[in-house]
């Protein structure tokens, strides 16, 4: 078999059903093989979008997303998408073409040192120098990308390796001596944790993306209910605990709920599960959770004690460790007073917005929530739109809120919606977008229309790079330096691609437009003209303790 | 504080770049780095001397190294009994009239002259940190013109 055939056969054996990508000179042999392979190929209009789509396919389905690009500019276009997946620990395989092996290092046409460039933004990467290694490398790449703390893995394949004829040998198993993730918590640590839990009074479960990865939502709920402990989650943890549950505190951090942040600050025991104490969550680190002991469950030892001091580290897979804890926990804490206090805070300082004035973005999202029965997959761009989407839609299941948290990549949401829709064709997929961000990958309208990937895009059009404008308003004396941004006529633009565009300027038009978008068998852009200077609140100013919130708990 | 860490890695191209990249990306300082094949030609050993302000940073460095797929083992010699050595070559000012003074000094540190010309000599010395430091101080009296050091290597007792 040729290298190209070996690659495709290996992908098939790994269960790959779809590849997002873009062709070019150094992947011609691969594309020739793809021509009659039984793998769906989706031609995006930009390689960055291919990477985001593959990433979101992974996020939505838990299956491996795969993207493919040519050497040089194709590969460098992928990098933003690879870094996005890396920062959020999303499994993904990126395949790139490379110039012929004997030309590597010669500044050949469309050559770039892609393994060099992507070294700090991949979990691991490979330059395949011999076609005989290809099957093993694919096998390893899938294993590394999807196990332990997941992440993107890149395989760079010179064009002569794609052409080379060698025997296909599929390795029965993967053996990498330097790579052995730890999946079960140390029994001694579990015992210590159970003891600490039994005697606490104000516990908080602080949960994140690792719960989603691990499939631990059910076990988490069991533990929370058994302990009668409140649960708060990170942006990446959205959906891993039902937000309608009486123990839910919503998201914490910079734009979290006031009561979640206060709960952390008053807590005497924080149980962190698959969450990495990001600075958007902790605020001023030396003021974070002053009364709390911390139990930290994470599959990656380097996440533990990185930002804050941890009293009981437990390295292992969230689902397994929570299961071990459940078994060990014979005595549960008495938390009714604590829950009563929290109930009071919830009543006193709920998430809120002023309904009067122009069309409000929060209202738009509430209406999308109602119209979709809280059962859509929501992707977001970055900025205010992202925070409103996090705050105002009701999430109850993992893998239904797909957002670039760690890198904060504008332009993620639309191709992500595409990837999610390809993975979950039966679901309604909404991209909650900003007018700035949507213009960063708007070319994907063509991909959606051409491949009948019917996603819905709600543009919260405020005429601003709103999140940056908000900071300028609050911290730079309203000097709106280069944050007022224009765009095209989104309705006409959508129509010119063969999609559907709807403009909404009044409150009463919101619901009908959403209903129409859902009912339309096409990709739909809804251009919501919202209050231009609406802010996201509550908010922790940078460098403050998380209970010092603007519009927080009075 | 300086710490000596040895890292056994897959002997593949690009691995040194991964290690060096990790240190630069995360802002850790490498004081010295020595790399060579081990008994098993499929692995190399890198002895790295790092500057870490506190225990937490040292822990992070070790964890981050361990995370690399090509890293097989990480050994921290900070709390381990071990031998560490370094090799250096020093070019000093030297004329035959210095011979007596120099020979005494070199004997004390088991160092030797590798080559000399009419006005300079290359000295070779291997030893622990203290020895190397003292020898260098002694050699300063002659005038040091050039200095090359391999960086530390270490082995546990
Ligand atoms: C404009 C903007 C505003 C933001 N504001 C906020 C905010 O207010 N609040 C907020 O929370 N975030 C906010 N974020 C997101 C923030 O930047 C981080 O991305 C987020 O907080 C990280 O979430 P996480 O801790 O769940 O970590 P993730 O990045 O999801 O990491 C997952 C962790 O789980 C571990 N893990 C993975 N798999 C497993 C497993 N199987 N078992 C156990 N552990 C596992 C990993 O090792 C890692 O430590 C914002 C982002 C942007 C762009
Ligand atoms: C690629 C990229 N460039 C710049 C930024 C910085 N940034 C963060 S939010 C934001 C504004 C986004 O504007 P828009 O998409 O209109 O969203 P809004 O905040 O108005 O809802 C900018 C420029 C970023 N996150 N990503
Ligand atoms: Mg905007």
């Amino acid at each position: 078999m040729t290298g190209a055939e070996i690659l495709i056969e290996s992908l098939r054996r790994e269960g790959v059903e779809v590849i997002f990508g873009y062709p070019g000179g150094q992947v011609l042999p691969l594309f020739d093989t793809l021509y009659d392979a039984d793998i769906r190929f989706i031609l995006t209009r930009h390689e960055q979008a291919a990477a985001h789509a593959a990433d979101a396919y992974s996020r939505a389905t838990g299956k491996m997303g795969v993207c493919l690009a040519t050497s040089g500019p194709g590969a460098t276009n992928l990098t933003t998408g690879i870094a996005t997946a890396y920062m959020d620990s999303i499994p993904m395989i990126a395949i790139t073409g490379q110039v012929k092996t004997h030309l590597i290092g010669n500044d050949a046409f469309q050559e770039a040192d892609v393994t060099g460039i992507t070294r700090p933004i991949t979990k691991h990467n490979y330059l395949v120098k011999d076609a005989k290694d290809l099957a093993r490398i694919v096998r390893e790449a899938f294993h590394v990308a999807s196990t332990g703390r997941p992440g993107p893995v890149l395989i760079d394949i010179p064009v002569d390796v794609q052409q080379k004829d060698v025997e296909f040998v599929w390795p029965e198993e993967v053996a990498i001596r330097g790579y052995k993730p730890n999946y079960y918590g140390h029994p001694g640590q579990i015992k210590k944790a159970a003891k600490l839990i039994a005697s606490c009074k104000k516990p908080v479960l602080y949960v994140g993306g690792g719960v989603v990865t691990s499939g631990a939502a059910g076990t988490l709920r069991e533990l929370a209910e058994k302990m009668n402990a409140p649960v708060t989650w990170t942006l990446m943890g959205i959906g891993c605990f039902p937000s309608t549950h009486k123990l839910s505190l919503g998201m914490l951090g910079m734009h979290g709920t006031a009561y979640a942040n206060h709960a952390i600050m008053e807590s005497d025991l924080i149980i962190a599960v698959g969450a990495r104490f990001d600075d958007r969550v902790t605020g001023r680190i030396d003021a974070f959770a002053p009364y709390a002991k911390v139990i930290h469950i994470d599959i990656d030892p380097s996440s533990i004690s990185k930002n804050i001091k941890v009293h009981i580290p437990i390295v292992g897979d969230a689902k397994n460790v929570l299961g071990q804890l459940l078994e060990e926990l014979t005595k549960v804490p008495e938390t009714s007073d604590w829950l009563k206090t929290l109930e009071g805070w919830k009543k006193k300082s709920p998430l809120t917005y002023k309904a009067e004035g122009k069309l409000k973005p929060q209202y738009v999202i509430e209406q999308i929530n109602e119209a979709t029965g809280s059962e859509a997959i929501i992707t977001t761009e970055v900025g205010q739109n992202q925070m409103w989407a996090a705050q105002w839609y009701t999430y109850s299941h993992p893998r239904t809120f797909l957002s670039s948290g760690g890198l904060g990549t504008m332009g993620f949401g639309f191709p992500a919606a595409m990837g999610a829709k390809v993975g979950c064709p039966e679901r309604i997929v909404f991209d909650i977008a900003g007018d700035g961000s949507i213009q960063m990958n708007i070319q994907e309208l063509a991909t959606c229309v051409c491949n009948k990937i019917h996603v819905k895009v709600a543009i919260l059009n405020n005429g601003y790079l709103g999140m940056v404008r908000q900071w300028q308003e609050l911290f730079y004396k309203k000097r709106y330096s280069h944050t007022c941004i224009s765009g095209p006529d989104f309705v006409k633009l959508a129509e010119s691609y063969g999609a559907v565009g709807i403009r909404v300027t009044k409150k009463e038009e919101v619901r009908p437009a959403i209903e129409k978008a859902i009912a339309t068998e096409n990709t739909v852009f809804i251009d919501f003209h919202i209050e231009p200077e609406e802010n996201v609140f509550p908010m922790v100013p940078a460098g403050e303790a998380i209970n010092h919130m603007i519009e927080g708990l009075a | 504080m300086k710490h000596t860490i040895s890292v056994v890695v897959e002997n593949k191209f690009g691995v040194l770049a991964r290690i060096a990249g990790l240190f630069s990306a995360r802002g850790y300082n490498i004081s010295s780095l020595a790399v060579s094949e081990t008994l098993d030609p499929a692995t190399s050993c890198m002895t790295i001397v790092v500057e870490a302000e506190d225990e937490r940073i040292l822990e992070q460095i070790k964890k981050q190294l361990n995370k690399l797929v090509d890293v097989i083992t990480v050994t921290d010699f900070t709390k381990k009994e071990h031998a560490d050595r370094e090799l250096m070559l020093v070019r000093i000012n030297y004329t035959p009239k210095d011979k007596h003074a120099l020979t005494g000094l070199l004997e004390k540190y088991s160092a030797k002259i590798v080559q000399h010309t009419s006005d300079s000599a290359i000295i070779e010395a291997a030893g622990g940190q203290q020895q190397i430091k003292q020898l260098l101080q002694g050699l300063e009296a002659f005038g040091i013109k050039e200095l090359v050091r391999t960086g530390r290597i270490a082995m546990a007792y």
Side-chain angles (χ1 to χ4, degrees), chain A residues 382-385 408-410 434-437 440 462 464-468:
Chain A
V382 168
Q384 294 182 314
N385 58 85
T409 310
M410 289 172 68
D435 50 321
S437 301
M440 284 208 179
N462 50 14
Y464 281 111
L465 298 170
M467 184 55 96
V468 183

Side-chain angles (χ1 to χ4, degrees), chain A residues 87-89 148-150 206-210 213-214 233-237 251-256 274-278 280-281 297-300 303 316-318 382-383 386-387 404-406 408 467:
Chain A
M87 288 297 279
D88 288 340
S89 304
R149 177 180 186 164
Y206 149 61
V207 303
T213 311
S214 157
W233 50 81
T234 66
L235 187 82
M236 297 308 296
M251 183 173 86
L252 83 169
M254 180 174 275
H255 292 293
R276 57 187 173 83
F277 293 93
D278 184 81
R280 294 261 154 159
V281 163
I297 302 166
D298 202 293
I299 203 157
D300 176 4
S303 278
D317 170 67
V382 168
Q386 179 183 29
M387 293 299 110
S404 167
M467 184 55 96

Side-chain angles (χ1 to χ4, degrees), chain A residues 39-111:
Chain A
I39 292 184
R40 184 173 180 200
F41 184 82
I42 292 174
L43 176 69
T44 57
R45 296 303 185 266
H46 192 301
E47 289 90 348
Q48 183 190 346
H52 290 324
D55 163 329
Y57 177 89
S58 286
R59 291 185 202 232
T61 63
K63 296 187 278 187
M64 186 70 77
V66 180
C67 58
L68 168 60
T70 191
S71 67
T76 55
N77 270 351
L78 281 184
T79 51
T80 301
I82 295 172
T84 302
Y86 182 71
M87 288 297 279
D88 288 340
S89 304
I90 305 300
M92 176 170 102
I93 300 290
I95 299 163
T96 48
Q98 181 55 277
V99 301
K100 287 191 178 134
T101 28
H102 73 268
L103 290 176
I104 290 178
N106 265 4
D107 301 320
F109 176 63
Q110 294 197 323
E111 180 185 358

Side-chain angles (χ1 to χ4, degrees), chain B residues 70-89:
Chain B
D70 286 332
V71 167
I72 302 164
T73 57
V74 177
T75 311
D76 172 11
F77 290 105
T78 310
K79 288 177 186 152
K80 268 205 170 76
E81 287 209 278
H82 68 279
D84 62 51
R85 292 292 181 272
E86 181 174 11
L87 172 69
M88 70 173 176
L89 295 174

Side-chain angles (χ1 to χ4, degrees), chain A residues 299-413:
Chain A
I299 203 157
D300 176 4
S302 77
S303 278
I304 298 177
S305 291
K306 183 171 68 175
N307 300 334
I308 64 141
K309 189 169 172 275
V310 169
H311 301 84
I312 305 185
I314 307 179
V315 177
D317 170 67
K319 187 173 176 185
N320 294 341
V321 174
L322 290 175
Q324 288 175 285
L325 258 182
L326 267 170
E327 247 174 58
E328 189 67 34
L329 206 63
T330 41
K331 195 167 155 277
V332 296
E334 169 49 49
T335 60
S336 49
D337 284 352
W338 176 229
L339 292 178
K340 230 175 275 162
T341 311
L342 296 177
E343 237 7 83
W345 292 345
K346 278 192 193 177
K347 286 224 175 67
K348 199 167 155 202
S349 301
L351 271 183
T352 173
Y353 66 93
K354 295 186 185 74
E356 63 270 18
K358 284 203 185 144
L359 184 57
K360 291 299 173 95
Q362 300 91 334
Y363 175 78
V364 171
I365 295 168
E366 283 177 322
Q367 290 302 308
I368 295 175
N369 183 41
E370 276 184 29
T372 56
S374 307
E375 290 290 334
I377 294 178
I378 302 294
T379 71
T380 79
E381 300 294 343
V382 168
Q384 294 182 314
N385 58 85
Q386 179 183 29
M387 293 299 110
W388 287 319
Q391 292 177 335
W392 294 97
Y393 196 89
T394 311
Y395 303 92
S396 302
H397 315 288
R399 305 191 181 280
T400 56
F401 175 79
L402 318 182
S403 191
S404 167
L407 200 65
T409 310
M410 289 172 68
F412 172 80

